[in-house]
Amino acid sequence: MVLPDRQDSRWIHAALLLALIALFVWLFLRFFVTPLYIAESDLYEDGLPIFLSPIWVWSSYEFSGLPAFADPADFTFYPLRILFGTIVHSWTALVMTGPLLAALLTYAYLYAHTRSKTAALYSALAYGLSEEMLERLRHFNHVHVIAWLPLIALAIDRVDGRPGRGPWMAVGALAVGSTILAGHPQPAIYAMYAMGLYALAGLAFDGGGWRRVLQWTVMVSVGGLLAAVKGLPLAEASRYVVRSERSEEHTSELQSRGLISYAVF
């Protein structure tokens, strides 16, 4: 039996969450009612083509070929991409879900710790409407990775070494897998670093011992297995493909020696 005050509280939660959803739909309304794609910078070059294209196993455009899932920017099996790409068929909804998800999960995390709807709503708006979420919206892979952080943190808190924490371990594993499937390895690794430090802080202050560490290990390991369809090809291809720092250092060296130059118009 649900007590009246708890039932009223649930209705308030539902109303606040629906208000958050309505706010973000209003922010993106132009792209819902007109035949326009949100496509700027990386969204145009990487995100939208992946969303609109059928699932490719092999790409013949890089050198002698490359597994398509080894592309660091690939998010073919990201759960929200499957939902909005194959069922809803809405690119705008997929892009919008990044900051919206961040707001909803932040609300859940803050309320779980403070029991204050005001604090939870304020924090949800602060995170969901932050510069990192909206100004960097063009970096789809980054936004959708960090949107899952509040849920991972909440799962870490709930997995406290006691029996019966299987559902929260499953929730945490899904969130960990989603951070890997959503985007580039860099923000996913940064997220894992941050959550690792968060877990260590919780272990230091709340305790839980080796059982809690074991539960966390299982949670993260299952999350990695859920993302193996991308993680394994990416790990294999990383031995043959160099992205970045070395190439940039080599280019800078050649430029300093006057062997190459750039013209800015």
PDB file of all heavy atoms in Angstrom, residues 108-139:
ATOM      1  N   ALA A 108      17.636  12.759 -10.578  1.00  0.00           N
ATOM      2  CA  ALA A 108      17.534  11.525  -9.799  1.00  0.00           C
ATOM      3  C   ALA A 108      18.679  11.409  -8.788  1.00  0.00           C
ATOM      4  O   ALA A 108      18.462  11.044  -7.618  1.00  0.00           O
ATOM      5  CB  ALA A 108      17.541  10.321 -10.739  1.00  0.00           C
ATOM      6  N   TYR A 109      19.889  11.738  -9.225  1.00  0.00           N
ATOM      7  CA  TYR A 109      21.050  11.632  -8.334  1.00  0.00           C
ATOM      8  C   TYR A 109      20.940  12.595  -7.162  1.00  0.00           C
ATOM      9  O   TYR A 109      21.147  12.215  -5.998  1.00  0.00           O
ATOM     10  CB  TYR A 109      22.326  11.895  -9.124  1.00  0.00           C
ATOM     11  CG  TYR A 109      23.562  11.970  -8.268  1.00  0.00           C
ATOM     12  CD1 TYR A 109      24.185  10.812  -7.819  1.00  0.00           C
ATOM     13  CD2 TYR A 109      24.104  13.201  -7.891  1.00  0.00           C
ATOM     14  CE1 TYR A 109      25.312  10.869  -7.017  1.00  0.00           C
ATOM     15  CE2 TYR A 109      25.225  13.272  -7.088  1.00  0.00           C
ATOM     16  CZ  TYR A 109      25.826  12.104  -6.650  1.00  0.00           C
ATOM     17  OH  TYR A 109      26.931  12.174  -5.848  1.00  0.00           O
ATOM     18  N   LEU A 110      20.615  13.850  -7.454  1.00  0.00           N
ATOM     19  CA  LEU A 110      20.562  14.847  -6.380  1.00  0.00           C
ATOM     20  C   LEU A 110      19.427  14.573  -5.409  1.00  0.00           C
ATOM     21  O   LEU A 110      19.589  14.727  -4.194  1.00  0.00           O
ATOM     22  CB  LEU A 110      20.421  16.245  -6.983  1.00  0.00           C
ATOM     23  CG  LEU A 110      21.694  17.077  -7.097  1.00  0.00           C
ATOM     24  CD1 LEU A 110      22.246  17.419  -5.713  1.00  0.00           C
ATOM     25  CD2 LEU A 110      22.746  16.371  -7.915  1.00  0.00           C
ATOM     26  N   TYR A 111      18.287  14.158  -5.953  1.00  0.00           N
ATOM     27  CA  TYR A 111      17.179  13.889  -5.033  1.00  0.00           C
ATOM     28  C   TYR A 111      17.484  12.690  -4.148  1.00  0.00           C
ATOM     29  O   TYR A 111      17.125  12.667  -2.965  1.00  0.00           O
ATOM     30  CB  TYR A 111      15.879  13.656  -5.799  1.00  0.00           C
ATOM     31  CG  TYR A 111      14.711  13.454  -4.857  1.00  0.00           C
ATOM     32  CD1 TYR A 111      14.112  14.543  -4.227  1.00  0.00           C
ATOM     33  CD2 TYR A 111      14.248  12.172  -4.542  1.00  0.00           C
ATOM     34  CE1 TYR A 111      13.075  14.363  -3.321  1.00  0.00           C
ATOM     35  CE2 TYR A 111      13.215  11.977  -3.639  1.00  0.00           C
ATOM     36  CZ  TYR A 111      12.626  13.083  -3.033  1.00  0.00           C
ATOM     37  OH  TYR A 111      11.607  12.904  -2.127  1.00  0.00           O
ATOM     38  N   ALA A 112      18.145  11.680  -4.699  1.00  0.00           N
ATOM     39  CA  ALA A 112      18.488  10.503  -3.909  1.00  0.00           C
ATOM     40  C   ALA A 112      19.374  10.867  -2.724  1.00  0.00           C
ATOM     41  O   ALA A 112      19.308  10.224  -1.670  1.00  0.00           O
ATOM     42  CB  ALA A 112      19.189   9.467  -4.794  1.00  0.00           C
ATOM     43  N   HIS A 113      20.181  11.916  -2.865  1.00  0.00           N
ATOM     44  CA  HIS A 113      21.115  12.289  -1.800  1.00  0.00           C
ATOM     45  C   HIS A 113      20.587  13.401  -0.904  1.00  0.00           C
ATOM     46  O   HIS A 113      20.958  13.463   0.275  1.00  0.00           O
ATOM     47  CB  HIS A 113      22.451  12.718  -2.411  1.00  0.00           C
ATOM     48  CG  HIS A 113      23.288  11.561  -2.863  1.00  0.00           C
ATOM     49  ND1 HIS A 113      24.044  10.801  -2.008  1.00  0.00           N
ATOM     50  CD2 HIS A 113      23.479  11.021  -4.091  1.00  0.00           C
ATOM     51  CE1 HIS A 113      24.666   9.845  -2.672  1.00  0.00           C
ATOM     52  NE2 HIS A 113      24.329   9.951  -3.948  1.00  0.00           N
ATOM     53  N   THR A 114      19.767  14.279  -1.435  1.00  0.00           N
ATOM     54  CA  THR A 114      19.334  15.442  -0.648  1.00  0.00           C
ATOM     55  C   THR A 114      17.881  15.379  -0.208  1.00  0.00           C
ATOM     56  O   THR A 114      17.490  16.073   0.726  1.00  0.00           O
ATOM     57  CB  THR A 114      19.529  16.740  -1.460  1.00  0.00           C
ATOM     58  OG1 THR A 114      18.645  16.728  -2.594  1.00  0.00           O
ATOM     59  CG2 THR A 114      20.964  16.875  -1.938  1.00  0.00           C
ATOM     60  N   ARG A 115      17.063  14.574  -0.923  1.00  0.00           N
ATOM     61  CA  ARG A 115      15.622  14.528  -0.689  1.00  0.00           C
ATOM     62  C   ARG A 115      14.981  15.904  -0.841  1.00  0.00           C
ATOM     63  O   ARG A 115      13.931  16.187  -0.264  1.00  0.00           O
ATOM     64  CB  ARG A 115      15.313  13.964   0.708  1.00  0.00           C
ATOM     65  CG  ARG A 115      15.738  12.525   0.874  1.00  0.00           C
ATOM     66  CD  ARG A 115      14.971  11.632  -0.084  1.00  0.00           C
ATOM     67  NE  ARG A 115      15.520  10.280  -0.139  1.00  0.00           N
ATOM     68  CZ  ARG A 115      15.065   9.306  -0.922  1.00  0.00           C
ATOM     69  NH1 ARG A 115      14.053   9.564  -1.722  1.00  0.00           N
ATOM     70  NH2 ARG A 115      15.618   8.121  -0.923  1.00  0.00           N
ATOM     71  N   SER A 116      15.620  16.746  -1.633  1.00  0.00           N
ATOM     72  CA  SER A 116      15.103  18.083  -1.891  1.00  0.00           C
ATOM     73  C   SER A 116      14.762  18.198  -3.380  1.00  0.00           C
ATOM     74  O   SER A 116      15.652  18.103  -4.228  1.00  0.00           O
ATOM     75  CB  SER A 116      16.127  19.149  -1.509  1.00  0.00           C
ATOM     76  OG  SER A 116      15.735  20.424  -1.994  1.00  0.00           O
ATOM     77  N   LYS A 117      13.485  18.397  -3.677  1.00  0.00           N
ATOM     78  CA  LYS A 117      13.079  18.546  -5.077  1.00  0.00           C
ATOM     79  C   LYS A 117      13.637  19.835  -5.661  1.00  0.00           C
ATOM     80  O   LYS A 117      13.990  19.899  -6.843  1.00  0.00           O
ATOM     81  CB  LYS A 117      11.556  18.524  -5.194  1.00  0.00           C
ATOM     82  CG  LYS A 117      10.913  17.229  -4.729  1.00  0.00           C
ATOM     83  CD  LYS A 117       9.412  17.296  -4.881  1.00  0.00           C
ATOM     84  CE  LYS A 117       8.749  16.019  -4.364  1.00  0.00           C
ATOM     85  NZ  LYS A 117       8.901  15.881  -2.895  1.00  0.00           N
ATOM     86  N   THR A 118      13.730  20.868  -4.847  1.00  0.00           N
ATOM     87  CA  THR A 118      14.251  22.155  -5.323  1.00  0.00           C
ATOM     88  C   THR A 118      15.716  22.030  -5.717  1.00  0.00           C
ATOM     89  O   THR A 118      16.132  22.474  -6.794  1.00  0.00           O
ATOM     90  CB  THR A 118      14.098  23.235  -4.243  1.00  0.00           C
ATOM     91  OG1 THR A 118      12.721  23.348  -3.886  1.00  0.00           O
ATOM     92  CG2 THR A 118      14.600  24.580  -4.758  1.00  0.00           C
ATOM     93  N   ALA A 119      16.509  21.412  -4.846  1.00  0.00           N
ATOM     94  CA  ALA A 119      17.935  21.225  -5.152  1.00  0.00           C
ATOM     95  C   ALA A 119      18.113  20.339  -6.371  1.00  0.00           C
ATOM     96  O   ALA A 119      18.970  20.602  -7.233  1.00  0.00           O
ATOM     97  CB  ALA A 119      18.651  20.619  -3.944  1.00  0.00           C
ATOM     98  N   ALA A 120      17.309  19.282  -6.455  1.00  0.00           N
ATOM     99  CA  ALA A 120      17.427  18.364  -7.585  1.00  0.00           C
ATOM    100  C   ALA A 120      17.056  19.059  -8.895  1.00  0.00           C
ATOM    101  O   ALA A 120      17.748  18.900  -9.915  1.00  0.00           O
ATOM    102  CB  ALA A 120      16.535  17.153  -7.359  1.00  0.00           C
ATOM    103  N   LEU A 121      15.982  19.838  -8.884  1.00  0.00           N
ATOM    104  CA  LEU A 121      15.555  20.529 -10.109  1.00  0.00           C
ATOM    105  C   LEU A 121      16.574  21.585 -10.519  1.00  0.00           C
ATOM    106  O   LEU A 121      16.898  21.720 -11.712  1.00  0.00           O
ATOM    107  CB  LEU A 121      14.184  21.177  -9.891  1.00  0.00           C
ATOM    108  CG  LEU A 121      13.592  21.914 -11.100  1.00  0.00           C
ATOM    109  CD1 LEU A 121      13.389  20.958 -12.269  1.00  0.00           C
ATOM    110  CD2 LEU A 121      12.282  22.593 -10.721  1.00  0.00           C
ATOM    111  N   TYR A 122      17.078  22.340  -9.563  1.00  0.00           N
ATOM    112  CA  TYR A 122      18.080  23.368  -9.872  1.00  0.00           C
ATOM    113  C   TYR A 122      19.334  22.739 -10.477  1.00  0.00           C
ATOM    114  O   TYR A 122      19.873  23.228 -11.470  1.00  0.00           O
ATOM    115  CB  TYR A 122      18.434  24.145  -8.600  1.00  0.00           C
ATOM    116  CG  TYR A 122      19.477  25.207  -8.809  1.00  0.00           C
ATOM    117  CD1 TYR A 122      19.125  26.474  -9.271  1.00  0.00           C
ATOM    118  CD2 TYR A 122      20.829  24.944  -8.560  1.00  0.00           C
ATOM    119  CE1 TYR A 122      20.080  27.451  -9.475  1.00  0.00           C
ATOM    120  CE2 TYR A 122      21.787  25.914  -8.769  1.00  0.00           C
ATOM    121  CZ  TYR A 122      21.410  27.165  -9.219  1.00  0.00           C
ATOM    122  OH  TYR A 122      22.370  28.130  -9.434  1.00  0.00           O
ATOM    123  N   SER A 123      19.787  21.657  -9.877  1.00  0.00           N
ATOM    124  CA  SER A 123      20.993  20.983 -10.375  1.00  0.00           C
ATOM    125  C   SER A 123      20.753  20.394 -11.763  1.00  0.00           C
ATOM    126  O   SER A 123      21.641  20.423 -12.627  1.00  0.00           O
ATOM    127  CB  SER A 123      21.416  19.876  -9.408  1.00  0.00           C
ATOM    128  OG  SER A 123      21.690  20.406  -8.133  1.00  0.00           O
ATOM    129  N   ALA A 124      19.553  19.853 -11.985  1.00  0.00           N
ATOM    130  CA  ALA A 124      19.223  19.296 -13.292  1.00  0.00           C
ATOM    131  C   ALA A 124      19.269  20.369 -14.369  1.00  0.00           C
ATOM    132  O   ALA A 124      19.815  20.158 -15.462  1.00  0.00           O
ATOM    133  CB  ALA A 124      17.841  18.654 -13.244  1.00  0.00           C
ATOM    134  N   LEU A 125      18.718  21.537 -14.073  1.00  0.00           N
ATOM    135  CA  LEU A 125      18.752  22.641 -15.036  1.00  0.00           C
ATOM    136  C   LEU A 125      20.181  23.135 -15.251  1.00  0.00           C
ATOM    137  O   LEU A 125      20.578  23.442 -16.380  1.00  0.00           O
ATOM    138  CB  LEU A 125      17.863  23.784 -14.548  1.00  0.00           C
ATOM    139  CG  LEU A 125      16.352  23.517 -14.560  1.00  0.00           C
ATOM    140  CD1 LEU A 125      15.603  24.652 -13.859  1.00  0.00           C
ATOM    141  CD2 LEU A 125      15.844  23.357 -15.988  1.00  0.00           C
ATOM    142  N   ALA A 126      20.951  23.210 -14.167  1.00  0.00           N
ATOM    143  CA  ALA A 126      22.325  23.699 -14.268  1.00  0.00           C
ATOM    144  C   ALA A 126      23.174  22.792 -15.145  1.00  0.00           C
ATOM    145  O   ALA A 126      23.979  23.266 -15.969  1.00  0.00           O
ATOM    146  CB  ALA A 126      22.939  23.825 -12.878  1.00  0.00           C
ATOM    147  N   TYR A 127      23.004  21.485 -14.997  1.00  0.00           N
ATOM    148  CA  TYR A 127      23.819  20.548 -15.771  1.00  0.00           C
ATOM    149  C   TYR A 127      23.280  20.378 -17.193  1.00  0.00           C
ATOM    150  O   TYR A 127      24.031  20.418 -18.164  1.00  0.00           O
ATOM    151  CB  TYR A 127      23.851  19.195 -15.060  1.00  0.00           C
ATOM    152  CG  TYR A 127      24.879  18.227 -15.621  1.00  0.00           C
ATOM    153  CD1 TYR A 127      26.120  18.667 -16.058  1.00  0.00           C
ATOM    154  CD2 TYR A 127      24.618  16.862 -15.687  1.00  0.00           C
ATOM    155  CE1 TYR A 127      27.070  17.786 -16.557  1.00  0.00           C
ATOM    156  CE2 TYR A 127      25.556  15.971 -16.177  1.00  0.00           C
ATOM    157  CZ  TYR A 127      26.779  16.445 -16.619  1.00  0.00           C
ATOM    158  OH  TYR A 127      27.717  15.568 -17.114  1.00  0.00           O
ATOM    159  N   GLY A 128      21.981  20.219 -17.311  1.00  0.00           N
ATOM    160  CA  GLY A 128      21.397  20.003 -18.636  1.00  0.00           C
ATOM    161  C   GLY A 128      21.510  21.197 -19.561  1.00  0.00           C
ATOM    162  O   GLY A 128      21.598  21.038 -20.782  1.00  0.00           O
ATOM    163  N   LEU A 129      21.506  22.410 -18.995  1.00  0.00           N
ATOM    164  CA  LEU A 129      21.597  23.630 -19.804  1.00  0.00           C
ATOM    165  C   LEU A 129      22.992  24.246 -19.751  1.00  0.00           C
ATOM    166  O   LEU A 129      23.175  25.388 -20.165  1.00  0.00           O
ATOM    167  CB  LEU A 129      20.569  24.660 -19.318  1.00  0.00           C
ATOM    168  CG  LEU A 129      19.106  24.234 -19.398  1.00  0.00           C
ATOM    169  CD1 LEU A 129      18.207  25.305 -18.807  1.00  0.00           C
ATOM    170  CD2 LEU A 129      18.696  23.945 -20.843  1.00  0.00           C
ATOM    171  N   SER A 130      23.961  23.502 -19.250  1.00  0.00           N
ATOM    172  CA  SER A 130      25.313  24.038 -19.109  1.00  0.00           C
ATOM    173  C   SER A 130      25.979  24.214 -20.464  1.00  0.00           C
ATOM    174  O   SER A 130      25.537  23.686 -21.490  1.00  0.00           O
ATOM    175  CB  SER A 130      26.160  23.093 -18.250  1.00  0.00           C
ATOM    176  OG  SER A 130      26.325  21.839 -18.901  1.00  0.00           O
ATOM    177  N   GLU A 131      27.068  24.968 -20.470  1.00  0.00           N
ATOM    178  CA  GLU A 131      27.826  25.192 -21.705  1.00  0.00           C
ATOM    179  C   GLU A 131      28.334  23.876 -22.278  1.00  0.00           C
ATOM    180  O   GLU A 131      28.305  23.663 -23.492  1.00  0.00           O
ATOM    181  CB  GLU A 131      29.011  26.118 -21.422  1.00  0.00           C
ATOM    182  CG  GLU A 131      29.872  26.374 -22.649  1.00  0.00           C
ATOM    183  CD  GLU A 131      31.088  27.227 -22.345  1.00  0.00           C
ATOM    184  OE1 GLU A 131      31.373  27.426 -21.149  1.00  0.00           O
ATOM    185  OE2 GLU A 131      31.752  27.678 -23.294  1.00  0.00           O
ATOM    186  N   GLU A 132      28.756  22.979 -21.423  1.00  0.00           N
ATOM    187  CA  GLU A 132      29.289  21.700 -21.888  1.00  0.00           C
ATOM    188  C   GLU A 132      28.230  20.892 -22.630  1.00  0.00           C
ATOM    189  O   GLU A 132      28.549  20.144 -23.555  1.00  0.00           O
ATOM    190  CB  GLU A 132      29.815  20.899 -20.694  1.00  0.00           C
ATOM    191  CG  GLU A 132      30.550  19.624 -21.060  1.00  0.00           C
ATOM    192  CD  GLU A 132      31.848  19.886 -21.812  1.00  0.00           C
ATOM    193  OE1 GLU A 132      32.391  21.000 -21.704  1.00  0.00           O
ATOM    194  OE2 GLU A 132      32.321  18.956 -22.495  1.00  0.00           O
ATOM    195  N   MET A 133      26.982  21.047 -22.240  1.00  0.00           N
ATOM    196  CA  MET A 133      25.914  20.286 -22.870  1.00  0.00           C
ATOM    197  C   MET A 133      25.373  20.940 -24.141  1.00  0.00           C
ATOM    198  O   MET A 133      25.097  20.258 -25.122  1.00  0.00           O
ATOM    199  CB  MET A 133      24.757  20.089 -21.877  1.00  0.00           C
ATOM    200  CG  MET A 133      25.056  19.051 -20.824  1.00  0.00           C
ATOM    201  SD  MET A 133      25.210  17.404 -21.563  1.00  0.00           S
ATOM    202  CE  MET A 133      25.939  16.509 -20.209  1.00  0.00           C
ATOM    203  N   LEU A 134      25.209  22.252 -24.131  1.00  0.00           N
ATOM    204  CA  LEU A 134      24.570  22.916 -25.269  1.00  0.00           C
ATOM    205  C   LEU A 134      25.570  23.554 -26.236  1.00  0.00           C
ATOM    206  O   LEU A 134      25.447  23.414 -27.447  1.00  0.00           O
ATOM    207  CB  LEU A 134      23.588  23.979 -24.761  1.00  0.00           C
ATOM    208  CG  LEU A 134      22.391  23.425 -23.979  1.00  0.00           C
ATOM    209  CD1 LEU A 134      21.450  24.545 -23.573  1.00  0.00           C
ATOM    210  CD2 LEU A 134      21.640  22.377 -24.785  1.00  0.00           C
ATOM    211  N   GLU A 135      26.584  24.227 -25.706  1.00  0.00           N
ATOM    212  CA  GLU A 135      27.550  24.862 -26.600  1.00  0.00           C
ATOM    213  C   GLU A 135      28.376  23.820 -27.345  1.00  0.00           C
ATOM    214  O   GLU A 135      28.769  24.023 -28.484  1.00  0.00           O
ATOM    215  CB  GLU A 135      28.457  25.796 -25.798  1.00  0.00           C
ATOM    216  CG  GLU A 135      29.297  26.742 -26.650  1.00  0.00           C
ATOM    217  CD  GLU A 135      30.584  26.097 -27.156  1.00  0.00           C
ATOM    218  OE1 GLU A 135      31.081  25.173 -26.487  1.00  0.00           O
ATOM    219  OE2 GLU A 135      31.073  26.519 -28.226  1.00  0.00           O
ATOM    220  N   ARG A 136      28.609  22.679 -26.704  1.00  0.00           N
ATOM    221  CA  ARG A 136      29.387  21.601 -27.318  1.00  0.00           C
ATOM    222  C   ARG A 136      28.476  20.522 -27.907  1.00  0.00           C
ATOM    223  O   ARG A 136      28.899  19.381 -28.102  1.00  0.00           O
ATOM    224  CB  ARG A 136      30.323  20.979 -26.275  1.00  0.00           C
ATOM    225  CG  ARG A 136      31.428  21.910 -25.822  1.00  0.00           C
ATOM    226  CD  ARG A 136      32.294  21.236 -24.769  1.00  0.00           C
ATOM    227  NE  ARG A 136      32.939  20.027 -25.277  1.00  0.00           N
ATOM    228  CZ  ARG A 136      34.102  20.022 -25.914  1.00  0.00           C
ATOM    229  NH1 ARG A 136      34.741  21.153 -26.139  1.00  0.00           N
ATOM    230  NH2 ARG A 136      34.628  18.883 -26.334  1.00  0.00           N
ATOM    231  N   LEU A 137      27.248  20.887 -28.206  1.00  0.00           N
ATOM    232  CA  LEU A 137      26.296  19.929 -28.741  1.00  0.00           C
ATOM    233  C   LEU A 137      26.783  19.317 -30.045  1.00  0.00           C
ATOM    234  O   LEU A 137      26.435  18.189 -30.388  1.00  0.00           O
ATOM    235  CB  LEU A 137      24.943  20.607 -28.954  1.00  0.00           C
ATOM    236  CG  LEU A 137      23.730  19.695 -29.130  1.00  0.00           C
ATOM    237  CD1 LEU A 137      23.504  18.863 -27.885  1.00  0.00           C
ATOM    238  CD2 LEU A 137      22.488  20.524 -29.447  1.00  0.00           C
ATOM    239  N   ARG A 138      27.613  20.074 -30.770  1.00  0.00           N
ATOM    240  CA  ARG A 138      28.150  19.562 -32.036  1.00  0.00           C
ATOM    241  C   ARG A 138      29.044  18.340 -31.818  1.00  0.00           C
ATOM    242  O   ARG A 138      29.251  17.552 -32.725  1.00  0.00           O
ATOM    243  CB  ARG A 138      28.943  20.664 -32.743  1.00  0.00           C
ATOM    244  CG  ARG A 138      30.177  21.136 -31.997  1.00  0.00           C
ATOM    245  CD  ARG A 138      30.929  22.212 -32.782  1.00  0.00           C
ATOM    246  NE  ARG A 138      30.191  23.443 -32.820  1.00  0.00           N
ATOM    247  CZ  ARG A 138      30.325  24.414 -31.904  1.00  0.00           C
ATOM    248  NH1 ARG A 138      31.163  24.258 -30.897  1.00  0.00           N
ATOM    249  NH2 ARG A 138      29.638  25.524 -32.009  1.00  0.00           N
ATOM    250  N   HIS A 139      29.582  18.216 -30.619  1.00  0.00           N
ATOM    251  CA  HIS A 139      30.407  17.057 -30.283  1.00  0.00           C
ATOM    252  C   HIS A 139      29.505  16.001 -29.634  1.00  0.00           C
ATOM    253  O   HIS A 139      29.544  15.777 -28.422  1.00  0.00           O
ATOM    254  CB  HIS A 139      31.552  17.462 -29.357  1.00  0.00           C
ATOM    255  CG  HIS A 139      32.466  18.463 -29.977  1.00  0.00           C
ATOM    256  ND1 HIS A 139      32.946  19.552 -29.289  1.00  0.00           N
ATOM    257  CD2 HIS A 139      32.969  18.564 -31.236  1.00  0.00           C
ATOM    258  CE1 HIS A 139      33.726  20.275 -30.087  1.00  0.00           C
ATOM    259  NE2 HIS A 139      33.744  19.684 -31.270  1.00  0.00           N
TER     260      HIS A 139
END
